[in-house]
Amino acid sequence: MKVLGKLTINTTILIATLCIIASAQAAPKLEEVAERSYLYGLQQAIFYGQRWIYTQNNVKDNEIYSGINRIFWVRKQITPDFPVVTPNATTLYGSGFLDLEAGPVVIEVPEITDRYFSVQVMDQYGIFRMIVGSPFNGTSARKYILVPPGYDKNLPASFPTTDIVQWQSKTAYIVVRMAVETGTDKEIKTINHLQDQVTTTPLAQWIANDYKGWHRQIPKYNLANTLSPKTCPPMPWGKWTNKPLSNTSHC
């Protein structure tokens, strides 16, 4: 009984000490909270700003406009006037925004055995949750499926578990890289052919197309399709409507 009593007293003293320490810690200053909030939200603000540029800002001088579930491709070697800060001239890039509002999206990659290639998919927090390609899982042709939160329908049996990616939100940013070795016209043409075989297709359309994706041309600039507050889905910079992004055909 004496031992039990001592344990109880010691425990009580320990809890009291911890409470005193916790209460003595100063509450974070407003400036510190604001700084952490800024750093936390900056990536998301950049992400959605870029998404607007890629998927909605259909104007003549926007070279990277491509719409949703389409990839903007760099089709020739980059020169110093390329409008991106940190590319390299020995890579042909592809990038775009995926929309999972209506359901999963299928990413198909052809067999590429003669050069480095990679496919990376990033969430709105700047985290690359999918990284595949020649250095990571081989050079064979493969298909992957991004599944949005809450999706409970059956998936095609042809997808192995390793290639089913449970996505954390309903939007994603994809980056594709293919190495340039010699830079000859013949090699660039070969890489362009490989680029055309990389597809990003909503699952419903993929199934309707006999279980395969297709290379969809980026819509050309059309003054009638230029986005306005009446036709745009909810996005940054004051673009608002009640229509969901996936139902807006020109985005």
Side-chain angles (χ1 to χ4, degrees), residues 47 96-98 100 121-123 146 167 170-174:
F47 180 92
F97 281 83
L98 309 180
L100 287 73
V121 186
M122 183 185 80
D123 67 13
L146 270 61
W167 205 245
K170 295 184 178 180
T171 184
Y173 176 70
I174 184 171

Side-chain angles (χ1 to χ4, degrees), residues 24-231:
Q25 292 179 342
K29 295 181 180 180
L30 181 60
E31 291 81 1
E32 295 174 352
V33 174
E35 181 180 358
R36 292 202 298 267
S37 300
Y38 174 83
L39 294 175
Y40 176 79
L42 179 61
Q43 168 60 33
Q44 296 170 69
I46 294 173
F47 180 92
Y48 284 105
Q50 285 295 108
R51 175 170 159 145
W52 178 77
I53 293 172
Y54 272 83
T55 66
Q56 292 184 245
N57 189 28
N58 183 10
V59 294
K60 288 182 178 179
D61 58 352
N62 180 15
E63 297 180 2
I64 64 173
Y65 170 79
S66 49
I68 61 169
N69 299 324
R70 294 185 181 93
I71 296 177
F72 164 78
W73 291 107
V74 175
R75 306 285 284 185
K76 58 183 180 180
Q77 282 190 281
I78 290 172
T79 55
D81 60 345
F82 188 74
V84 174
V85 179
T86 57
N88 67 70
T90 57
T91 303
L92 293 193
Y93 295 87
S95 58
F97 281 83
L98 309 180
D99 184 82
L100 287 73
E101 181 69 33
V105 171
V106 178
I107 302 170
E108 289 187 298
V109 183
E111 180 181 60
I112 303 176
T113 60
D114 62 342
R115 67 193 63 252
Y116 167 94
F117 79 94
S118 65
V119 179
Q120 298 173 286
V121 186
M122 183 185 80
D123 67 13
Q124 70 266 37
Y125 298 101
I127 300 173
F128 285 94
R129 298 185 178 276
M130 172 180 158
I131 303 177
V132 298
S134 54
F136 309 108
N137 63 344
T139 60
S140 299
R142 296 179 76 150
K143 57 182 182 295
Y144 308 89
I145 184 167
L146 270 61
V147 183
Y151 187 82
D152 58 2
K153 298 179 181 179
N154 292 331
L155 299 176
S158 58
F159 288 94
T161 303
T162 53
D163 295 343
I164 299 174
V165 183
Q166 297 292 336
W167 205 245
Q168 306 298 311
S169 68
K170 295 184 178 180
T171 184
Y173 176 70
I174 184 171
V175 181
V176 184
R177 294 176 173 87
M178 296 185 187
V180 178
E181 296 180 353
T182 63
T184 63
D185 291 343
K186 181 179 179 180
E187 186 195 25
I188 297 300
K189 186 176 180 180
T190 297
I191 299 175
N192 292 162
H193 178 65
L194 294 172
Q195 290 176 329
D196 291 342
Q197 297 176 70
V198 178
T199 60
T200 52
T201 312
L203 178 60
Q205 298 178 17
W206 185 81
I207 293 174
N209 193 46
D210 196 23
Y211 295 87
K212 58 181 181 290
W214 69 93
H215 177 70
R216 292 176 295 166
Q217 295 294 327
I218 294 173
K220 295 183 179 180
Y221 171 80
N222 185 332
L223 184 60
N225 289 339
T226 302
L227 301 182
S228 68
K230 293 182 179 180
T231 60

